[in-house]
Amino acid sequence: FQVLETEGIPCGYERSAKLLRGNILANRYLLGINLGDISTRQVEQICRELQMPPALVQRFLDGLTQANQILIGFEADPLGSGLYKLYHEYWEQLRSTPGFPDIEQARFLLHRGFKWKIDQPDRQATTDYHFIPGLNTARIKERIQVADIGLRDPALKNAVTEIISLAEQHMPGDQLIYVEVSEPESPRISFDLNLYPAGLKVNDIQPQLEQLASHMHIAPEKLGRLLDISREQSLGHISAGTARDDQPYFTYYYES
């Protein structure tokens, strides 16, 4: 926030909360910046200010020529540290692909994320987010049922399926943007589903959040505090699967 404010760079803002076994990570946010609103010099300044590891900086800068937007992310952890994240978004490049989005069984790289621990920058990860177009809700449900998407936990599968069915009541299922997520050399595998077009609020999925919190042994008061600040906000993305520690997780994104 300080870097963007100093440079006068406009951005979009989205918060999120991640439910894990026994805990909730609620200090998470994502800032979106159109590359037309920022110079390469300013991008380099952001990398320096966030102390992005040198091994990641050049790869990130090299990818700017194909991106239309960058995203800056932060996630605090319970030990007082956390992760910084920088992403490329390639949506405009995808839209110019011949035949897009009607290429059958296609997978398009929509985002690439570069992530590192703030206090241990040698702990790094590169995450790929592949958009799979043209899936209706029935086919999305089929994909998240298979083990390689990471929803091995039955309670997580049930909650996600119920949320997708709820979204389907408010919009055609094939308008949902479905993305599969993977990291080389990591157990991390998951999916992300953009629910903004359904017009839901966080409050609409409170029953599923309560079920997941109970299943993941999260204290009810922790979830209650989170819902107090987010229940009336617009529900954005949901993400679920297997985290880097090989444990199940569920994340929801929201904005006012």
Side-chain angles (χ1 to χ4, degrees), residues 47-231:
C47 295
R48 286 195 299 271
E49 292 282 349
L50 299 183
Q51 298 181 3
M52 189 180 198
L56 297 183
V57 170
Q58 195 56 53
R59 291 176 58 202
F60 185 75
L61 295 177
D62 288 345
L64 290 177
T65 56
Q66 296 176 310
N68 61 278
Q69 187 177 63
I70 63 170
L71 306 168
I72 307 174
F74 169 76
E75 175 185 284
D77 66 28
L79 301 178
S81 181
L83 289 173
Y84 278 144
K85 315 172 187 181
L86 286 175
Y87 302 82
H88 297 138
E89 179 180 290
Y90 305 113
W91 184 250
E92 293 304 321
Q93 182 189 43
L94 297 190
R95 293 177 63 181
S96 64
T97 302
F100 177 84
D102 300 319
I103 305 172
E104 290 196 14
Q105 300 181 334
R107 292 168 58 88
F108 298 94
L109 183 63
L110 178 59
H111 296 101
R112 175 162 285 159
F114 302 82
K115 309 173 184 182
W116 66 99
K117 287 278 287 182
I118 294 171
D119 58 346
Q120 297 175 279
D122 57 319
R123 294 182 60 183
Q124 306 166 11
T126 302
T127 311
D128 287 341
Y129 299 75
H130 283 94
F131 169 47
I132 304 176
L135 301 182
N136 59 27
T137 50
R139 292 183 64 192
I140 291 172
K141 289 175 185 177
E142 288 175 3
R143 292 191 72 89
I144 66 171
Q145 293 297 323
V146 300
D148 60 354
I149 302 306
L151 295 191
R152 301 177 302 214
D153 186 303
L156 189 54
K157 283 184 182 181
N158 291 339
V160 167
T161 299
E162 289 177 5
I163 292 170
I164 294 173
S165 295
L166 176 63
E168 188 178 24
Q169 296 173 23
H170 297 269
M171 60 170 294
D174 58 3
Q175 291 183 14
L176 300 176
I177 297 177
Y178 173 79
V179 175
E180 292 182 352
V181 188
S182 62
E183 285 180 358
E185 302 178 4
S186 165
R188 164 77 188 275
I189 188 164
S190 59
F191 78 93
D192 181 282
L193 188 62
N194 186 337
L195 298 180
Y196 277 119
L200 300 174
K201 293 187 178 298
V202 172
N203 188 54
D204 293 319
I205 65 165
Q206 182 168 335
Q208 289 77 26
L209 293 175
E210 290 173 342
Q211 293 166 18
L212 286 172
S214 175
H215 175 68
M216 293 181 171
H217 306 291
I218 296 169
E221 57 269 24
K222 279 191 176 182
L223 180 64
R225 288 195 295 270
L226 175 61
L227 289 173
D228 284 345
I229 64 172
S230 66
R231 62 163 46 92

